Amino acid sequence: MTVPREMPEKWPRVRGPGRAEEERRVRANAREYNEKFQYASNCIKTSKYNIVTFLPVNLFEQFQEVANTYFLFLLILQLIPQISSLSWFTTIVPLVLVLTITAVKDATDDYFRHKSDNQVNNRQSQVLIGGVLRQEQWMNVRVGDIIKLENNQFVAADLLLLCSSEPHGLCYIETAELDGETNMKVRQAIPVTSELGDTSKLARFDGEVICEPPNNKLDKFGGTLYWKENKYPLSNQNMLLRGCVLRNTEWCFGLVIFAGPDTKLMQNSGRTKFKRTSIDRLMNTLVLWIFGFLVCMGVILAIGNAIWEHEVGVCFQIYLPWDEGVHSAFFSGFLSFWSYIIILNTVVPISLYVSVEVIRLGHSYFINWDKKMYCAKRRTPAEARTTTLNEELGQVEYIFSDKTGTLTQNIMVFSKCSVNGHSYGDVQDVLGHKAELGERPEPVDFSFNPLADPRFQFWDPSLLEAVKLGDPHVHEFFRLLSLCHTVMSEEKSEGELYYKAQSPDEGALVTAARNFGFVFRSRTPKTITVHELGRAITYQLLAILDFNNIRKRMSVIVRSPEGKIRLYCKGADTILLERLHPVNQDLTNVTTDHLNEYAGEGLRTLVLAYKDLEESYYEDWSERLHRAGSAPEAREDRLARLYDEVEHDMMLLGATAIEDKLQQGVPETIAILTLANIKIWVLTGDKQETAVNIGYSCKMLTDDMTEVFVVTGHTVLEVREELRKAREKMMDASRSMGNGFSYQEKLSSSKLTSVLEAIAGEYALVINGHSLAHALEADMEVEFLETACACKAVICCRVTPLQKAQVVELVKKYKKAVTLAIGDGANDVSMIKTAHIGVGISGQEGIQAVLASDYSFSQFKFLQRLLLVHGRWSYLRMCKFLCYFFYKNFAFTMVHFWFGFFCGFSAQTVYDQYFITLYNIVYTSLPVLAMGVFDQDVPEQRSMEYPKLYEPGQLNLLFNKREFFICIAQGIYTSVLMFFIPYGVFADATRDDGAQLADYQSFAVTVATSLVIVVSVQIGLDTGFWTAINHFFIWGSLAAYFAILFAMHSDGLFQMFPNQFRFVGNAQNTLAQPTVWLTIALTTVVCIMPVVAFRFLKLDLKPELSDTVRYTQLVRKKQKTQHRCMRRVGRVGSRRSGYAFSHQEGFGELIMSGKNMRLSSLALSSFAARPSAGWIETLRKKKGSDSSAAGSPSAAPDKTLKV
């Protein structure tokens, strides 16, 4: 469990007007009494809707989208005949389609939440009602009920443990759903209730509990039991929390204290938040801007209409009268304003939102179908559980990761040990020498031991030889491991032992002792039985001096069958080495060297020591211990002093080294993500030493770091001082290196950048949960974030689930960066919900994290591919899609604006109504969808090889306000040429027969054809990755345009619908004129050429990294082609003579520098440290060296290739 600490937040429940619950009163077996307090039932609800509320609530949520409200407003305008210039169906059909698709998606998501809630609420529990145990659903359990739990059952609510099947009211629980730890923990009933073993006694139990109100503190509980005119203090050790699982205990009874939403698990779960991407938020802003721009255009054209009608139109009233109800030029302008609002609304068509949802859905399917993110061992594919966040995967700056089960497999392995100055555990070859990397002989044979665990493996036979030869130090070493622990043993059949340990470390150590002949067999509260090399020995257990985060050690005091009293102790080296007897100095020096060696390999180390105690001393010490244990005040301090007294002048035995196996690929993934400028913070409920060891194992922490700051203060002042000292050290180091850094300058920055970009050296920060509680308070959170963001790695230990969420919220609040949280347990749910993106790992700790997540897969290493490939591509595609979409719609719509100045501002459209309707639905929809779904700038391998390609998304470079204005400027430029070039040509042009070419419909056909061709060519230029689908959609859309155009001007449609299709043969006549085609060609060239010229110059003068990567790829392909050609014609020569061609300079320096190791962290870090221009040069040099080092005898001629 996490260490106790005070949380600044409280979660009071309001019981009446203005009254919050200050304390809770619960009386056993008294439902009527408890119901008057209106406590929450045990029914939980995580869903958002029900059948009645779904439609109104969902529509309300959807119309919070600015665009949906905007289109509803336009629909209302189009229903007014006086101002409607377009049919109402052009808006209502796509609007209803969008609302329906979104509603179906939301309903599906909520259905699964309902299903999960029902599954939990309908679990069965045994409730004691009227003296009889009855089966009740969880949701019907009430506060004050007594319920019975059986082995391997989930705890239904927060219970006060009353009694159990085990001696002294003990029971064992697994808390993986709460704190992520899969090890077992012990809980104990208070002595007065532990005797209530049968239902008749429990039915008569009428004790009353007065305790704290519901809160989120998993590791603290305070209350008092009043029964039979006595009162008994209650603590967290007496509580079973909802989400725990009963283990190794046949049955137990508990009194429900907190139920449903009041339980600590639900108090920590956090609320489901509606997540929206930064692009969504930007689009909402842009829609408002565009609406403002639309209003401005409407006002300009309305004013023009009023002036024109006043000056010119009034002269033509005889044959061009005003509409009925229009009595002045001003009112005509007012109606014209609304008409133009309807006509020009296509600057943001509703098809934009339909297309965005389709593209996101496609990206989600790509994630689901990715075989490289499929785990064959667990048969688990990656799953995109939401379709709304894909592009934000390409913008992540901060990753918050759980440790146990996320970075590690949570599997501990006894790897090495040091006994009496001799190190064991190195893999040795047949000659007894240390084996080289990759050489692994057979493991040690433990067949001599019938009780050995067959899964245990050890590679150094000399340790077993020492055991068999009777080395007293080795025997005492393993005797300590078999006695000094709190492991529970279960023997299901003769010789089949199963260990249940409070921590995986303890399990690994006891298993190691078991295999080497010292088998822990069983325990009672007062004895421990061990089989030592086949001989059963029972030790009397006199005392357990338990581990805690301050002591960092554990001891047991036992009496051997011979009557000798001995203390065995194991603990952290920093604590234990200073408690040894001075005679151990030489041995201490050797053991310390071994410890440093083990720690350098990322192993978790413990030091072992013992001490013989005199009978008289022990009797006196035991008496003082008993008095301290029953003291009413300062009990913990008194016990700590007594523990400290006896754990001195110990004799050193040796040290152990345990490997907490990382998941496959974790160090490489962290290295590459770090080089993509992604900061990784580890938030774990585990202890500090464990977290730090894992930090070293996964290369987050390295010995090359300038300093690792550890914050462990217990008060506000201590934490503030430690953070201040850390910042001062970093600033002093920067000044000493001539950085010219000014702290005050940095603090005055509008965005909280702190010392992140300014300090020299690499630092790491490790902070404990109790210190973090103070650091997250309002007056210190900025200082904490300043310090943490200046560090390369941040590890938060012993944190509660809510603290994890608070850390994420803090970064979201000040850094304005995209955050991602990844975890595998229920204790990570709050963090996953709080972050912009939540990723659940389907691991050993249930599926709570997966159910709360946006994306899920089975291994941490897949995160690299999710972000660098799928995330980057999704962001790139969405940005290119939006840029093109705004461009093509401004080019399309602004033609109406220019035409207004030539049609008396009469709200007449340039294009016919069907072209306006089909432009975004048919003519231009599929090509941009194909680009948005399939486009890529570089292949997936290059995305993984060059993490720097990820940075444009973090900096939001591909679509922002600046890019938006560039797009609409290009669209406006295109619309100007699209209108005025045909207008100028048509002013004087004639047909082949000499007749005047200019007429309204011919002009409309020419402009529409030019527009479709120009935007089709433009998307061809924008497409970076061509597929058959792209070709089919682009050229197919062009063909569809001409087919529909000729069909709408055909005789057949005119005969069927004479009022709708009046202009028979217009398209055929217009497009038969060479002048029209020359006009279309001129318009296309003038619109496209500036874009081509700009992109060519940009590529040549200021290429982006993706451009350079693509260029190197093309050169490599060309080189491979040349190699193949030369192999065909070249003579067959020996490798030795081929090697002579490259005898200019060896590759030793290159290999040592790491520049040729593309996938290594060394190479990637060298790239990461350079600016963009340096990247390009590096890539060019790299390509040159690749060509010179090509693996064929004919590689040398390629050196002349100019890069």
Side-chain angles (χ1 to χ4, degrees):
M1 288 290 284
T2 50
V3 292
R5 55 105 180 150
E6 291 295 332
M7 290 290 294
E9 300 79 23
K10 291 186 178 179
W11 294 66
R13 289 188 61 82
V14 177
R15 298 296 170 210
R19 189 165 68 90
E21 183 177 352
E22 295 179 357
E23 66 177 17
R24 172 154 294 205
R25 290 177 173 267
V26 179
R27 185 176 294 171
N29 296 313
R31 278 196 172 187
E32 289 184 7
Y33 173 80
N34 296 320
E35 282 173 0
K36 70 181 183 182
F37 296 106
Q38 299 178 4
Y39 294 139
S41 73
N42 204 38
C43 180
I44 64 164
K45 179 185 174 185
T46 60
S47 56
K48 293 166 63 177
Y49 316 110
N50 59 39
I51 294 175
V52 176
T53 63
F54 173 73
L55 196 60
V57 173
N58 187 261
L59 285 176
F60 175 75
E61 288 178 348
Q62 291 202 55
F63 280 113
Q64 285 183 315
E65 290 275 357
V66 176
N68 288 341
T69 308
Y70 165 65
F71 291 121
L72 181 64
F73 172 68
L74 286 175
L75 175 62
I76 295 169
L77 289 181
Q78 284 180 286
L79 296 175
I80 303 173
Q82 286 81 2
I83 62 174
S84 179
S85 49
L86 291 173
S87 299
W88 58 270
F89 65 80
T90 59
T91 298
I92 194 169
V93 172
L95 178 60
V96 170
L97 182 66
V98 169
L99 295 177
T100 304
I101 291 172
T102 307
V104 168
K105 183 173 69 69
D106 291 343
T108 305
D109 291 344
D110 208 56
Y111 166 74
F112 286 111
R113 283 193 285 266
H114 272 287
K115 192 174 178 181
S116 174
D117 289 347
N118 290 335
Q119 183 181 357
V120 172
N121 288 330
N122 290 315
R123 285 177 179 169
Q124 296 294 309
S125 184
Q126 299 181 68
V127 183
L128 187 63
I129 300 176
V132 180
L133 284 173
R134 296 182 184 175
Q135 289 287 337
E136 289 280 356
Q137 295 173 325
W138 275 24
M139 60 183 174
N140 296 327
V141 172
R142 296 289 181 267
V143 171
D145 287 352
I146 293 177
I147 65 176
K148 180 181 181 181
L149 294 174
E150 295 180 346
N151 195 33
N152 297 326
Q153 281 188 347
F154 277 94
V155 179
D158 288 358
L159 309 178
L160 171 66
L161 179 61
L162 296 177
C163 57
S164 77
S165 58
E166 301 299 303
H168 310 290
L170 292 172
C171 78
Y172 305 95
I173 57 171
E174 190 177 274
T175 60
E177 292 286 322
L178 284 172
D179 57 15
E181 297 182 12
T182 54
N183 46 288
M184 284 204 306
K185 297 177 175 63
V186 180
R187 293 292 180 266
Q188 186 172 15
I190 58 175
V192 70
T193 64
S194 62
E195 306 300 326
L196 303 174
D198 60 76
T199 54
S200 59
K201 292 180 181 177
L202 287 164
R204 293 192 298 271
F205 176 66
D206 61 351
E208 184 170 358
V209 173
I210 299 178
C211 66
E212 62 189 22
N215 59 71
N216 50 45
K217 293 176 262 189
L218 288 174
D219 45 14
K220 295 199 77 172
F221 178 81
T224 306
L225 171 65
Y226 293 86
W227 190 40
K228 294 181 178 178
E229 300 182 356
N230 290 315
K231 60 179 183 179
Y232 308 93
L234 305 175
S235 70
N236 199 51
Q237 287 299 309
N238 310 124
M239 294 295 293
L240 305 180
L241 301 184
R242 179 180 179 132
C244 299
V245 182
L246 192 68
R247 300 290 193 202
N248 287 9
T249 307
E250 189 177 340
W251 54 262
C252 73
F253 284 91
L255 172 67
V256 178
I257 305 295
F258 301 121
D262 289 344
T263 59
K264 292 182 184 285
L265 175 67
M266 297 304 294
Q267 292 279 338
N268 272 284
S269 66
R271 292 182 178 179
T272 301
K273 298 182 180 180
F274 179 67
K275 295 183 178 181
R276 184 177 284 135
T277 67
S278 57
I279 285 183
D280 281 336
R281 292 189 291 271
L282 176 60
M283 279 172 58
N284 278 346
T285 303
L286 297 182
V287 167
L288 291 174
W289 287 3
I290 291 172
F291 184 72
F293 180 66
L294 182 60
V295 170
C296 290
M297 288 194 295
V299 168
I300 292 169
L301 294 170
I303 293 172
N305 177 268
I307 294 172
W308 190 90
E309 291 289 357
H310 184 267
E311 299 293 333
V312 181
V314 71
C315 303
F316 300 92
Q317 286 291 304
I318 296 173
Y319 67 91
L320 198 63
W322 286 336
D323 293 336
E324 186 179 348
V326 178
H327 305 294
S328 67
F330 174 80
F331 192 64
S332 174
F334 175 76
L335 294 179
S336 177
F337 169 78
W338 295 109
S339 297
Y340 271 114
I341 291 293
I342 294 171
I343 291 173
L344 299 174
N345 82 82
T346 49
V347 284
V348 185
I350 199 164
S351 59
L352 169 65
Y353 292 89
V354 179
S355 302
V356 165
E357 291 302 318
V358 170
I359 289 170
R360 286 172 171 167
L361 185 64
H363 296 167
S364 298
Y365 277 117
F366 288 153
I367 293 171
N368 295 344
W369 294 338
D370 192 342
K371 291 183 179 179
K372 294 182 180 177
M373 294 172 67
Y374 175 78
C375 180
K377 183 179 179 181
R378 295 180 184 167
R379 297 182 179 179
T380 308
E383 181 184 5
R385 298 173 54 81
T386 180
T387 59
T388 58
L389 302 174
N390 295 325
E391 65 269 17
E392 200 138 78
L393 288 171
Q395 298 180 276
V396 173
E397 285 189 59
Y398 287 86
I399 292 176
F400 300 91
S401 174
D402 179 37
K403 180 193 73 67
T404 307
T406 303
L407 298 178
T408 70
Q409 301 177 33
N410 204 23
I411 299 172
M412 307 296 176
V413 178
F414 181 81
S415 181
K416 294 184 179 183
C417 64
S418 172
V419 184
N420 196 34
H422 192 287
S423 180
Y424 300 93
D426 287 322
V427 181
Q428 297 182 347
D429 58 22
V430 291
L431 299 177
H433 301 117
K434 189 173 179 179
E436 295 297 326
L437 189 64
E439 296 180 14
R440 177 149 283 196
E442 289 295 314
V444 174
D445 180 12
F446 293 106
S447 58
F448 79 97
N449 182 0
L451 295 176
D453 186 340
R455 295 168 296 179
F456 179 84
Q457 288 187 320
F458 197 74
W459 307 93
D460 186 354
S462 60
L463 183 57
L464 184 58
E465 290 298 320
V467 172
K468 290 180 176 179
L469 292 173
D471 186 323
H473 297 100
V474 175
H475 280 206
E476 199 65 19
F477 178 89
F478 284 116
R479 185 175 292 114
L480 185 152
L481 293 182
S482 65
L483 293 171
C484 186
H485 57 79
T486 55
V487 173
M488 302 300 298
S489 174
E490 183 179 357
E491 194 163 354
K492 294 185 178 179
S493 60
E494 183 63 30
E496 286 190 38
L497 289 173
Y498 293 90
Y499 290 152
K500 295 292 184 179
Q502 281 200 343
S503 73
D505 307 63
E506 278 207 328
L509 293 174
V510 176
T511 300
R514 166 185 175 179
N515 277 59
F516 281 98
F518 289 75
V519 184
F520 163 61
R521 199 66 183 263
S522 62
R523 71 160 69 240
T524 69
K526 297 297 182 183
T527 65
I528 297 178
T529 301
V530 178
H531 281 221
E532 297 185 358
L533 299 176
R535 188 164 57 98
I537 300 177
T538 298
Y539 292 86
Q540 186 181 351
L541 180 60
L542 301 177
I544 297 179
L545 286 57
D546 210 353
F547 177 93
N548 66 37
N549 200 49
I550 299 171
R551 285 169 39 76
K552 298 181 182 177
R553 62 191 182 276
M554 175 203 174
S555 300
V556 294
I557 300 176
V558 296
R559 190 193 304 271
S560 69
E562 294 80 22
K564 184 190 296 184
I565 299 175
R566 179 166 283 185
L567 176 142
Y568 290 109
C569 183
K570 66 182 182 187
D573 53 353
T574 53
I575 301 297
L576 230 62
L577 292 179
E578 63 187 25
R579 297 173 183 276
L580 299 177
H581 195 280
V583 298
N584 292 273
Q585 190 57 52
D586 292 339
L587 179 57
T588 300
N589 293 337
V590 177
T591 306
T592 302
D593 291 339
H594 292 160
L595 287 168
N596 293 335
E597 178 187 335
Y598 301 156
E601 297 173 18
L603 302 177
R604 300 151 63 96
T605 58
L606 285 174
V607 172
L608 312 184
Y610 70 94
K611 178 182 180 181
D612 288 321
L613 301 178
E614 297 290 336
E615 183 76 35
S616 57
Y617 171 80
Y618 170 73
E619 292 294 338
D620 174 60
W621 182 85
S622 178
E623 178 62 29
R624 287 183 287 144
L625 182 71
H626 178 72
R627 289 200 301 269
S630 56
E633 296 179 357
R635 176 175 174 269
E636 298 295 332
D637 291 339
R638 295 186 183 189
L639 290 175
R641 284 196 293 271
L642 285 170
Y643 291 171
D644 190 62
E645 174 194 320
V646 76
E647 292 171 329
H648 263 292
D649 294 331
M650 295 183 287
M651 303 299 294
L652 179 61
L653 263 178
T656 62
I658 293 176
E659 180 184 2
D660 184 1
K661 283 189 174 293
L662 289 173
Q663 288 190 17
Q664 184 183 2
V666 167
E668 295 83 356
T669 300
I670 287 178
I672 290 176
L673 292 177
T674 302
L675 294 169
N677 200 33
I678 297 173
K679 292 86 176 174
I680 300 177
W681 293 20
V682 172
L683 311 177
T684 176
D686 219 331
K687 60 182 181 179
Q688 178 184 315
E689 292 79 9
T690 305
V692 169
N693 278 324
I694 292 300
Y696 279 104
S697 298
C698 64
K699 304 297 186 287
M700 277 184 67
L701 306 179
T702 65
D703 293 328
D704 297 330
M705 282 186 161
T706 311
E707 189 163 351
V708 177
F709 301 111
V710 180
V711 178
T712 57
H714 285 77
T715 66
V716 174
L717 293 176
E718 288 175 359
V719 174
R720 193 187 299 276
E721 182 65 17
E722 288 176 356
L723 292 174
R724 185 188 63 78
K725 286 181 179 178
R727 288 197 302 276
E728 282 184 355
K729 284 187 178 180
M730 289 188 280
M731 290 187 291
D732 290 342
S734 295
R735 292 193 192 100
S736 66
M737 297 185 70
N739 237 20
F741 168 71
S742 170
Y743 188 56
Q744 291 301 323
E745 290 173 15
K746 284 289 173 185
L747 279 182
S748 64
S749 171
S750 59
K751 186 178 179 182
L752 187 63
T753 54
S754 82
V755 293
L756 189 59
E757 291 84 16
I759 65 163
E762 291 184 350
Y763 299 89
L765 177 70
V766 179
I767 183 167
N768 267 308
H770 52 79
S771 306
L772 187 62
H774 299 304
L776 291 174
E777 290 178 5
D779 60 340
M780 205 191 304
E781 61 181 15
V782 175
E783 294 178 50
F784 166 65
L785 191 63
E786 280 277 332
T787 311
C789 289
C791 297
K792 182 181 177 184
V794 177
I795 298 176
C796 302
C797 321
R798 286 295 189 193
V799 293
T800 65
L802 193 68
Q803 279 182 318
K804 292 184 178 185
Q806 287 173 327
V807 172
V808 176
E809 192 63 52
L810 178 64
V811 174
K812 285 174 65 178
K813 178 180 177 182
Y814 287 104
K815 298 302 291 183
K816 310 300 180 189
V818 177
T819 58
L820 181 148
I822 180 169
D824 71 323
N827 60 317
D828 303 314
V829 167
S830 187
M831 170 177 76
I832 285 171
K833 287 182 176 180
T834 303
H836 292 101
I837 302 167
V839 178
I841 288 188
S842 47
Q844 306 291 330
E845 299 179 18
I847 59 169
Q848 292 280 346
V850 170
L851 292 176
S853 67
D854 305 304
Y855 301 89
S856 68
F857 41 71
S858 60
Q859 294 186 46
F860 182 84
K861 68 177 182 180
F862 295 147
L863 185 62
Q864 175 185 345
R865 185 170 178 82
L866 182 71
L867 298 185
L868 300 189
V869 178
H870 292 287
R872 202 181 72 80
W873 278 353
S874 295
Y875 174 72
L876 170 79
R877 291 162 177 166
M878 186 59 71
C879 292
K880 292 181 75 170
F881 163 81
L882 291 173
C883 287
Y884 175 77
F885 211 100
F886 284 120
Y887 154 75
K888 77 180 180 68
N889 280 289
F890 267 84
F892 165 65
T893 306
M894 289 300 292
V895 172
H896 292 301
F897 181 77
W898 312 124
F899 185 56
F901 290 91
F902 297 89
C903 69
F905 305 97
S906 60
Q908 173 69 45
T909 59
V910 177
Y911 322 108
D912 67 72
Q913 180 173 282
Y914 297 99
F915 180 81
I916 292 173
T917 304
L918 296 176
Y919 177 75
N920 280 306
I921 296 176
V922 176
Y923 301 149
T924 61
S925 61
L926 293 179
V928 72
L929 277 179
M931 181 179 72
V933 172
F934 299 109
D935 202 49
Q936 45 182 274
D937 53 350
V938 298
E940 60 182 75
Q941 298 93 334
R942 301 290 177 258
S943 294
M944 305 276 274
E945 287 175 13
Y946 304 113
K948 277 287 181 181
L949 288 167
Y950 190 79
E951 284 194 1
Q954 296 171 324
L955 301 173
N956 207 21
L957 297 180
L958 301 187
F959 186 74
N960 49 42
K961 293 169 185 174
R962 176 177 173 273
E963 293 296 322
F964 168 72
F965 284 121
I966 291 173
C967 294
I968 64 171
Q970 184 187 354
I972 293 170
Y973 164 78
T974 301
S975 70
V976 169
L977 297 176
M978 201 80 65
F979 177 79
F980 285 102
I981 290 178
Y983 182 81
V985 171
F986 273 50
D988 299 316
T990 58
R991 296 178 182 274
D992 293 340
D993 57 5
Q996 182 70 23
L997 180 60
D999 65 77
Y1000 169 67
Q1001 270 299 312
S1002 296
F1003 180 75
V1005 168
T1006 305
V1007 173
T1009 306
S1010 300
L1011 175 66
V1012 173
I1013 292 174
V1014 167
V1015 297
S1016 297
V1017 173
Q1018 180 66 46
I1019 199 168
L1021 292 174
D1022 288 346
T1023 301
F1025 182 73
W1026 284 86
T1027 65
I1029 296 174
N1030 292 84
H1031 282 289
F1032 177 74
F1033 281 174
I1034 292 174
W1035 314 128
S1037 295
L1038 266 177
Y1041 164 73
F1042 284 108
I1044 293 171
L1045 178 66
F1046 289 127
M1048 285 196 302
H1049 292 86
S1050 65
D1051 294 337
L1053 279 179
F1054 172 72
Q1055 290 171 2
M1056 287 186 287
F1057 308 102
N1059 293 327
Q1060 298 293 324
F1061 302 97
R1062 303 182 186 122
F1063 302 98
V1064 183
N1066 178 267
Q1068 293 86 332
N1069 291 335
T1070 302
L1071 296 178
Q1073 303 300 319
T1075 305
V1076 172
W1077 283 108
L1078 287 172
T1079 303
I1080 293 171
L1082 176 63
T1083 305
T1084 304
V1085 170
V1086 176
C1087 288
I1088 296 299
M1089 280 308 295
V1091 178
V1092 174
F1094 173 78
R1095 293 188 182 182
F1096 177 81
L1097 290 172
K1098 185 172 180 290
L1099 191 64
D1100 192 55
L1101 300 176
K1102 196 179 178 182
E1104 295 177 355
L1105 178 58
S1106 57
D1107 300 325
T1108 312
V1109 172
R1110 275 201 307 274
Y1111 179 64
T1112 59
Q1113 189 179 359
L1114 289 172
V1115 173
R1116 283 175 184 164
K1117 287 182 179 178
K1118 188 183 293 184
Q1119 290 171 355
K1120 287 178 181 177
T1121 305
Q1122 291 173 351
H1123 290 332
R1124 284 196 291 268
C1125 293
M1126 285 186 281
R1127 285 194 192 103
R1128 291 192 190 103
V1129 300
R1131 67 180 181 85
V1132 178
S1134 69
R1135 289 182 180 272
R1136 194 181 310 169
S1137 61
Y1139 178 71
F1141 282 107
S1142 59
H1143 278 182
Q1144 293 181 12
E1145 184 177 351
F1147 291 108
E1149 184 179 347
L1150 182 66
I1151 292 170
M1152 292 301 291
S1153 69
K1155 291 178 182 176
N1156 68 324
M1157 301 176 188
R1158 186 182 300 118
L1159 287 173
S1160 71
S1161 58
L1162 182 58
L1164 292 168
S1165 62
S1166 71
F1167 282 135
R1170 301 173 188 170
S1172 182
W1175 260 89
I1176 295 165
E1177 291 303 315
T1178 302
L1179 286 165
R1180 288 178 172 172
K1181 291 175 184 176
K1182 180 178 172 53
K1183 178 162 48 59
S1185 65
D1186 282 350
S1187 64
S1188 65
S1192 73
S1194 53
D1198 288 337
K1199 289 186 177 181
T1200 59
L1201 179 67
K1202 296 294 182 185
V1203 179

